[in-house]
Amino acid sequence: MSVSHFPPRDPLALVPEDCGRGHACQFCPEEEQCRLDKGQHEKRLIESRLAQIGQIIMVLANKGGVGKSTVSANVAAGLAAQGYRVGVADADIHGPNQSRFFGFVGQRVRLSKHGLPPKDFELFGLEHPVKIGSLAFMMERDDTPIVWRDAYKHDFMHHLIGSFDWGPLDFLVIDMPPGTGNELITLADMLEGHDVAALLATTPQEVALMDSLKAVRFCQERGMPLIGVVENMAGVTCPHCSGHFHVFPRSHLAEALAAADVESVAQIPLSLALSSGSDTGVPIVLSERDSPEAQAFAPAVAACLAHAQAGFAEAAKQSLQGLTQAGLESDELQQALDAVPPEQREALRQQLESLLGNSNNPSYQG
C-alpha cells in the first residue's frame, strides 16, 4: 500500500511546539523561563525513545538478594554476544549495581542536548556496545543513599526511559528493584502497548519463592507476558570432588511453578566464578563463554530471543492481514515477490502463504 492512501495531516491542526531537547524539563537550565507545553514534551520524548526499541525485558523479583542484577547483566550480555543491539536500564534506585557489573564504577555522565548518554560497554567480539543507563552515573558518590519519596521515584522512571539517549535497540533489559511498588507500576504504565515482557529471578528458598509468586501474580493480573523463571543459586559443584548438591531443596519450587503455569527457563549455579565475574566488571557469559556458569544462562537468553521473535512474527502476520483486508491484491504481492532475489523468492512465498493462510491459493506463484 502506498502512503498516499492515508489521508494527509490537517495543516490547520494545532501541534504543540517542542524545544527539540532530548532530556526532561527538570534537567533544563531554561525550565523556569520556558513557556512550552512541558507535559507534551516529556510524553513525546518517551515515545520517541520507545519507538526505537524492539523488545523490552523487565527482570523482576519480589524478593531482594536473589540475583536480579546478575540475571539482567548476563542475559543482556548474552543477547549482545549474538549480535543484537542491547541496552540495560538500571531501575533499582536504592541499589543501582549495573555500573559495577559492566565496569563503570565511579564514572559519571554529563547532560547534552540529546539527553543523558548511556555508558558504552565494549569488548572484543561484540558487534555493538552494551548501553548502560543508571542512577549511579548521576550520584556524587557511590555510597550516597537515595532517600526519595514516591514522586521522585516516579520522575526518575520517566528519566530512565526518556532522558537517556538509548538510540535504536533490539533489546532493552530493565533491572528492576525488589517488590511490586511504585517503580514497577510506573514502568508498567509507561510501557503499556509496547513489546514488554517479564523475566522472573528467584532462588529455590521457600521464603524467596513465597515472594516471587507475588510477582508472577502481578504479571498475570496485569496481562504482562512472563517469559519464565530463572532459578538462581540452583545447586553447587564441589571444587574438590566435583560432586553436585543443592543448598535449597527444589521440589517445592517445581511444584509451585507448575501450579502457577510458569516455565523454568534456566538454573544458575551458586558459583564463586559467577560472583567474581560480577565484581570484575565483565559478565561471565562474555569473560568465560565456555564455562558451566555461562552455559547455564544460555537457555534464558534463548527464551528471551524466542519470545521476541514470536512477537515479531505475530506482528508481521497482523500487518500482512491488515494489508490484504485493505485491498492489496494478489498481483501486487506477486510484483513484490518478483523484486526479491530468485534464491530467496520461494522461501519468502511460503512464509507469506503460511502467515496469510493462503497455502492453497493458486494466485500466488513463485
Side-chain angles (χ1 to χ4, degrees), residues 14 67 127 153 269 288 324 333-334 336 357:
L14 295 178
E127 186 175 348
K153 295 180 181 182
E288 300 182 41
T324 56
L333 278 178
Q334 185 63 52

Side-chain angles (χ1 to χ4, degrees), residues 285-361:
V285 299
L286 297 176
S287 62
E288 300 182 41
R289 300 190 183 199
D290 296 326
S291 66
E293 293 82 5
Q295 295 303 311
F297 277 105
V301 174
C304 293
L305 184 55
H307 175 84
Q309 291 174 335
F312 175 79
E314 179 60 29
K317 178 180 178 181
Q318 293 179 2
S319 178
L320 287 169
Q321 289 176 341
L323 287 174
T324 56
Q325 291 171 2
L328 186 62
E329 300 298 335
S330 60
D331 58 345
E332 294 182 63
L333 278 178
Q334 185 63 52
Q335 291 175 12
L337 285 169
D338 289 342
V340 175
E343 64 273 13
Q344 302 175 14
R345 191 176 303 157
E346 178 61 23
L348 179 58
R349 183 184 65 82
Q350 292 178 0
Q351 292 175 10
L352 286 170
E353 290 175 347
S354 175
L355 287 170
L356 295 173
N358 291 326
S359 58
N360 297 320
N361 189 338

Side-chain angles (χ1 to χ4, degrees), residues 6 81 111 123 127-128 182 196 202 216 219 240 284-285 292 349:
F6 294 95
L111 187 68
L123 193 70
E127 186 175 348
H128 306 283
N182 184 76
V196 58
T202 188
V216 171
C219 293
H240 303 291
I284 200 167
V285 299
R349 183 184 65 82

Side-chain angles (χ1 to χ4, degrees), residues 48-123:
S48 67
R49 301 293 191 209
L50 292 174
Q52 298 186 79
I53 297 174
Q55 179 67 56
I56 301 171
I57 300 171
M58 300 175 70
V59 180
L60 307 177
N62 204 47
K63 181 74 174 175
V66 298
K68 294 182 302 300
S69 296
T70 299
V71 171
S72 299
N74 282 279
V75 166
L79 290 166
Q82 296 191 36
Y84 294 99
R85 299 167 298 178
V86 182
V88 180
D90 195 347
D92 194 345
I93 291 173
H94 298 289
N97 299 136
Q98 291 303 326
S99 60
R100 178 169 297 279
F101 277 82
F102 287 93
F104 294 119
V105 173
Q107 297 195 29
R108 304 291 179 260
V109 296
R110 296 179 64 87
L111 187 68
S112 74
K113 185 177 180 180
H114 301 292
L116 293 166
K119 290 293 182 180
D120 285 345
F121 174 82
E122 298 178 306
L123 193 70

